[in-house]
Amino acid sequence: MIHFQNARLIDPEAQTDGSGSLTVEEGRIVARDGEAPSGATVIDCNGRALAPGIVDWGVKIGEPGERHKESFRSAGLAAAAGGVTTMIVRPDTLPPIDTPEDLEFVARRASAAPVNIRHMAALTKGREGREMVEIGFLTDAGAVAFTDGVRVVGDSKLLGRCMSYAKGVGALIVGHPQDPSLSKGAAATSGKFASLYGIPAVSPMAEVMGLDRDLALVAMTGCRWHADQITTAAALPALRRARAAGLDVTAGTSIHHLTLNEFDVGDYRTFFRFTPPLRSEDDRLAMVEAVAEGEIDVIASFHTPQDEESKRLPFEVAAPGAVGLQTLLPAAMRLYHQGGLTLPELWRAMSLNPARRLGLESGRLAVGAPADLVLFDPDAPFVLDRFALLSKSKNTPFDGARLQGKVLGTWVAGERVFG
Amino acid sequence: MTFRARHLLGIDHLAPQEITTLLDLAETYVELNQRTVKHADALAGMTQINLFFENSTRTQSSFELAGKRLGADVMNMSVAHSSVKKGETLIDTALTLNAMHPDLLIVRHPNSGAVNLLAEKVNCAVINAGDGRHEHPTQALLDALTIRRAKGRIQRLTVAICGDIAHSRVARSNLILLGKMENRLRLIGPRTLMPAGVADLGCEVYEDMREGLKGADVVMMLRLQKERMDGGFIPSEREYFHRWGLDAEKLALAKPDAIVMHPGPMNRGVEIDGTIADDINRSVIQDQVEMGVAVRMAAMDLLARNLRSERGRVLAGPGLWDG
């Protein structure tokens, strides 16, 4: 039994941020604001923030195929250090997770990590966009959602059938809203920056087009659908219309698109190459506001480990993505300190909403909820050294950045896994 | 004399005084190049490697000749079809060459920013001979010298750049250079060949070539790559020539003494009419080639001076004698 006293409780469900205490027993929260029971281990939080652990939706792990970039063990340690208590793992591995047997393999490997792990499965076999996977078997085997990642299923007829079938099974599909022919070969958002630096670029309209098509198919099939990353203001009206029409639709965005813009690429810095590419400052601000308004449901790190060789290349041919498990919380604190988002709003997007959407019990501080918790100091300043990260890969755009927000302790089902 | 740069990676990093310094020095090499004996010794004993990841006969020969006239040992390496195919990375190629102690590395690469990346890994001076759609600084400098000699100045001119702006590093470097020198810039071409956000770069954008050419002092034509001609960006060669090809009738709208430029190689009858290209009263296209050698000699000379003084400082540094 653990009793956290003198804490600043961040409750995303009640949208409150206030002092209190929390009692944990047998992996669950058993009391709020009670006295310390006799025999309990008392942790004095000294007024630091105690929040539900982060549920990071869209983590890439290099197993199978690229274990030199990241393993379940290394990612798990990074997650624990970053206050992430549940990783929702992507299926875009080598080979992709597209059969129940593959899922069984990664589920077994996942036990090497000290945090909770849930798996997504590919939507089409080999992520090739030609045949649907065994959505039923994979759901039975524990897949929480189906996605081909950033590879868009170009064949609308097939995607429609996948959605219809998923509707029957009750499965959730995660789409990557992007018109594949427009965005082919692009490494930046079209505009002044990309034109000056001569980087192949894509119009932000490609996101709107991809979203419009996917939402039309959702309207046609009635399936449960989630957009992995919405990054442009122009895409928001379509999302609004879909919700107003009663479609079962949610949307996420990445912490990088909330905290960085296209100009951060500077002199071809490949750690700032993302899919979709970083956007204009106007788009960034619109996304922050959309999270505050609840139009964007989920913030995730889209943790994408890449080895040094994949990044030491000319910008347009360098591999996209950044590691994010350990930088998600401090990067989010930038948004908090700049006044764009409150801590309960951030935790709604980083913990409560993803858990709810994926049918998990976590993300809450309510009595009975799993004791997946993070204790952190939102103000503690530090300069990030990428080589101090616990991921096997060190590709972060925040290298050398001045950040605030340090994780002091992480608990998964009442067990301390960090700090 | 002001020229501090260690590398010549783009015009963007140069100050206007540095551009002027380089052009002034190039003038002396124009003169040298017109003599029968064309030798100088600015690069005597130095090694120059022309590293071309993309085929180019003209630029490579120009750099080769420039180096040889200054007394450098010049080696050409075309890697478009060799080590890259074997999986060697750009950085490995750079490190391999670096180990051979070159003093000047002239690099062309199909990816924007690749030359900047390579320059971080070597100890010699690097000249960007064109990287993707980014920059081609010596082209802009030779254009500037050509303009200065024809017009007597490189300020307060109306310069019209016409054609495939979107894919052109020549256009980018020229925009930056002519902008720094306070000229009035116009971009002319079909929308499909115009980069996004150009209006924010301080130029006027015209789709109608006749409008754009009115009152221009300099008409700079760009090459239209063959692969862009087949319906993807423009409907056909003949429609392109009709609307954006430079002929006598369109040129008549520019100032009577306007000069015509082209970075070469030309597609006669696609972006420029053959008679205009050959008109010695208007076309300075052959002068551009001549200025190219002189400007490259000047650029290498200045970088070599900086390299020598940098190495001199290292040798004379206190650490060596203080024990």
Side-chain angles (χ1 to χ4, degrees), chain A residues 274-297:
Chain A
F274 292 95
T275 304
L278 291 175
R279 305 300 193 184
S280 69
E281 178 64 4
D282 287 347
D283 278 333
R284 185 189 75 81
L285 291 170
M287 289 304 109
V288 175
E289 200 188 321
V291 173
E293 300 285 322
E295 286 191 74
I296 298 284
D297 304 273

Side-chain angles (χ1 to χ4, degrees), chain A residues 124-163:
Chain A
T124 67
K125 288 176 187 162
R127 295 171 63 228
E128 284 172 354
R130 283 201 287 270
E131 300 165 67
M132 70 176 87
V133 298
E134 293 168 317
I135 296 176
F137 278 157
L138 281 158
T139 301
D140 295 344
V144 290
F146 293 82
T147 180
D148 276 359
V150 296
R151 263 196 224 166
V152 175
V153 178
D155 182 344
S156 301
K157 191 182 268 183
L158 176 74
L159 182 58
R161 284 186 188 142
C162 290
M163 285 183 177

Side-chain angles (χ1 to χ4, degrees), chain A residues 100-289:
Chain A
E101 289 78 6
D102 293 332
L103 192 64
E104 220 173 275
F105 167 78
V106 284
R108 209 163 49 234
R109 294 287 312 157
S111 61
V115 300
N116 302 315
I117 292 183
R118 294 285 185 280
H119 301 272
M120 293 191 282
L123 181 61
T124 67
K125 288 176 187 162
R127 295 171 63 228
E128 284 172 354
R130 283 201 287 270
E131 300 165 67
M132 70 176 87
V133 298
E134 293 168 317
I135 296 176
F137 278 157
L138 281 158
T139 301
D140 295 344
V144 290
F146 293 82
T147 180
D148 276 359
V150 296
R151 263 196 224 166
V152 175
V153 178
D155 182 344
S156 301
K157 191 182 268 183
L158 176 74
L159 182 58
R161 284 186 188 142
C162 290
M163 285 183 177
S164 286
Y165 196 88
K167 163 80 177 165
V169 179
L172 176 69
I173 290 182
V174 178
H176 178 68
Q178 197 67 223
D179 182 86
S181 66
L182 270 186
S183 56
K184 193 176 170 203
T189 303
S190 60
K192 189 176 160 184
F193 177 78
S195 290
L196 266 178
Y197 279 78
I199 304 172
V202 59
S203 162
M205 216 41 87
E207 184 170 297
V208 181
M209 290 170 65
L211 183 63
D212 277 337
R213 180 199 69 156
D214 285 12
L215 289 175
L217 290 172
V218 172
M220 192 173 96
T221 58
C223 104
R224 297 170 60 222
W225 190 81
H226 175 78
D228 64 347
Q229 301 181 58
I230 296 293
T231 58
T232 63
L236 292 172
L239 205 57
R240 246 172 253 146
R241 281 196 302 275
R243 288 186 208 264
L247 303 185
D248 190 355
V249 165
T250 49
T253 194
S254 97
I255 190 67
H256 301 112
H257 289 87
L258 292 174
T259 51
L260 305 169
N261 70 29
E262 54 185 345
F263 286 96
D264 285 307
V265 170
D267 216 1
Y268 302 103
R269 294 189 292 168
T270 57
F271 282 179
F272 292 79
R273 170 138 160 57
F274 292 95
T275 304
L278 291 175
R279 305 300 193 184
S280 69
E281 178 64 4
D282 287 347
D283 278 333
R284 185 189 75 81
L285 291 170
M287 289 304 109
V288 175
E289 200 188 321

Side-chain angles (χ1 to χ4, degrees), chain A residues 190-192 195-201 267-268 309 312-317, chain B residues 90-91 109 111-114 116-117 121 131 133-134 172 195-197 200-201:
Chain A
S190 60
K192 189 176 160 184
S195 290
L196 266 178
Y197 279 78
I199 304 172
D267 216 1
Y268 302 103
E309 291 313 315
R312 286 172 72 199
L313 291 168
F315 189 80
E316 62 198 79
V317 291
Chain B
L90 175 64
I91 289 176
H109 197 280
N111 297 139
S112 304
N116 302 43
L117 178 66
K121 310 288 171 189
D131 63 324
R133 310 173 185 179
H134 180 217
R172 258 172 207 79
D200 301 338
L201 302 180

